[in-house]
């Protein structure tokens, strides 16, 4: 009886773990595979031909570079500012003595 | 409550940033929500006095389903994230070898770096009409042509972010439960599953609730997932706010829903915190 319970328990545990892993991983893998799709429309999976055309487009089109630069600059500033102020506030909240 | 001078200086920059970025806009929102609105104008009427009409509008039952969808789907996502997230956290802390634990943790953190928009389209491509897993909806008894399929897509879209978030939060929770208690239960004859279910799980309950609160807050405040996955069939309160501001320029109405959501969310989280403190008093928790 004890053994059967443990077997079921291990089965449920492994099942939930597998389900969680697949749920997170599968969409990412599908997106990666479709990024090599040679077709110029969203067709059924799996792709019939593969190519690097979308990567080439991203690397050669300057519009994308402009967007990438803006993203990096804005997030860089936000990261630096929030890390500094957040760290200072965390030190104050943890080490400071609250009176009253 | 007062800090000494040195620590006041340390906390000042954060407060100086939060004041104009958080407190200010909320006050402006509150002010806007009390202005009367004339159709065709942009924003509320200046000098038109104070009115509660923008709030009273939402007592109409026609609005109930926006709030219903938001809170219901958010709850489904949160429960699913806790059910799937607890085994991940338990696996990382108790079962996996240090190396495997590190890899799994790094993978979870790695997915958090993926932008929401990337996840949404990845999930659409996987479970959408042309995706390889489009038939999965039948497992839940959902016909792909139904509105329920759209709800499922929204749930999947949110869960893909909330699951790693909850799993990572639960790592700390499981670590705090002493492994000796599980071993003691087994030494006294309990099978392993019984030790986990009736010793570790109840002791992890306060942590599960706070992880749930984090996940739930993410869900009910989300705009992008219901906007793209919901396709207008599933409309969250955030989308309603967005429509009011951007499409009909009814700022007072949008502001009023924002304030209503803020009050509901704060009330909900305050209530949950109180419940946690009552069921598991801090002193008792510390002695465990």
């Amino acid at each position: 009886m004890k053994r059967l319970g443990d077997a079921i328990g291990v089965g449920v545990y492994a099942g939930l773990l597998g389900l969680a892993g697949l749920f997170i991983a599968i969409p990412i893998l599908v997106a990666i595979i479709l990024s090599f799709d040679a077709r110029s429309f969203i067709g059924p999976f799996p792709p019939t031909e593969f190519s690097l055309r979308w990567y080439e487009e991203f690397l050669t089109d300057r519009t994308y570079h402009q967007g990438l630069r803006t993203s990096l600059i804005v997030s860089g500033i936000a990261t630096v500012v929030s890390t500094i102020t957040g760290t200072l506030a965390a030190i104050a909240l943890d080490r400071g003595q609250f009176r009253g | 409550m007062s800090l000494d001078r040195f620590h006041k200086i340390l906390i000042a920059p954060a407060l100086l940033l939060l004041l104009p970025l958080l407190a200010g806009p909320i006050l402006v929102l509150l002010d806007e929500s009390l202005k009367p609105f004339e159709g065709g104008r942009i924003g509320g009427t200046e000098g038109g006095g104070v009115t509660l009409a923008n709030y009273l509008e939402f007592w109409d039952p026609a609005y109930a389903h926006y709030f219903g969808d938001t809170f219901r789907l958010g709850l489904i996502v949160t429960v699913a994230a806790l059910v799937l997230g607890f085994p991940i956290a338990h696996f990382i802390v108790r079962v996996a070898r240090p190396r495997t634990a590190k890899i799994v943790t790094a993978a979870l953190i790695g997915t958090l770096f993926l932008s929401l928009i990337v996840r949404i389209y990845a999930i659409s491509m996987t479970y959408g009409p042309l995706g390889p897993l489009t038939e999965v909806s039948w497992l839940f008894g959902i016909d792909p042509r139904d509105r329920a399929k759209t709800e499922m897509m929204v749930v999947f879209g949110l869960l893909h972010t909330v699951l790693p978030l909850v799993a990572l939060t639960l790592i700390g929770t499981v670590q705090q439960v002493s492994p000796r208690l599980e071993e003691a239960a087994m030494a006294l004859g309990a099978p392993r599953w019984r030790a986990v279910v009736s010793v570790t799980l109840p002791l992890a309950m306060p942590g599960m609730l706070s992880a749930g609160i984090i996940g739930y807050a993410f869900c009910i405040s989300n705009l992008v997932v219901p906007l793209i996955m919901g396709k207008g069939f599933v409309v969250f309160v955030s989308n309603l706010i967005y429509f009011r501001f951007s499409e009909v320029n009814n700022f007072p109405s949008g502001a009023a829903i924002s304030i209503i959501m803020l009050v509901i969310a704060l009330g909900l989280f305050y209530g949950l915190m109180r419940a946690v403190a009552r069921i598991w008093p801090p002193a008792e928790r510390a002695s465990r």
Side-chain angles (χ1 to χ4, degrees), chain B residues 24-45:
Chain B
I26 289 177
L27 288 178
V28 171
L29 210 58
L30 191 64
D31 176 53
E32 185 72 34
S33 74
L34 295 171
K35 288 178 188 168
F37 177 75
E38 281 172 40
R41 289 177 54 110
I42 295 177
T45 312

Side-chain angles (χ1 to χ4, degrees), chain B residues 163-187:
Chain B
L163 177 55
L165 206 64
V166 164
L168 287 168
T169 315
L170 286 179
I171 289 178
T173 306
V174 178
Q175 269 170 346
Q176 276 175 0
V177 179
S178 167
R180 302 240 170 101
L181 295 172
E182 221 173 277
E183 286 160 14
M186 285 193 283

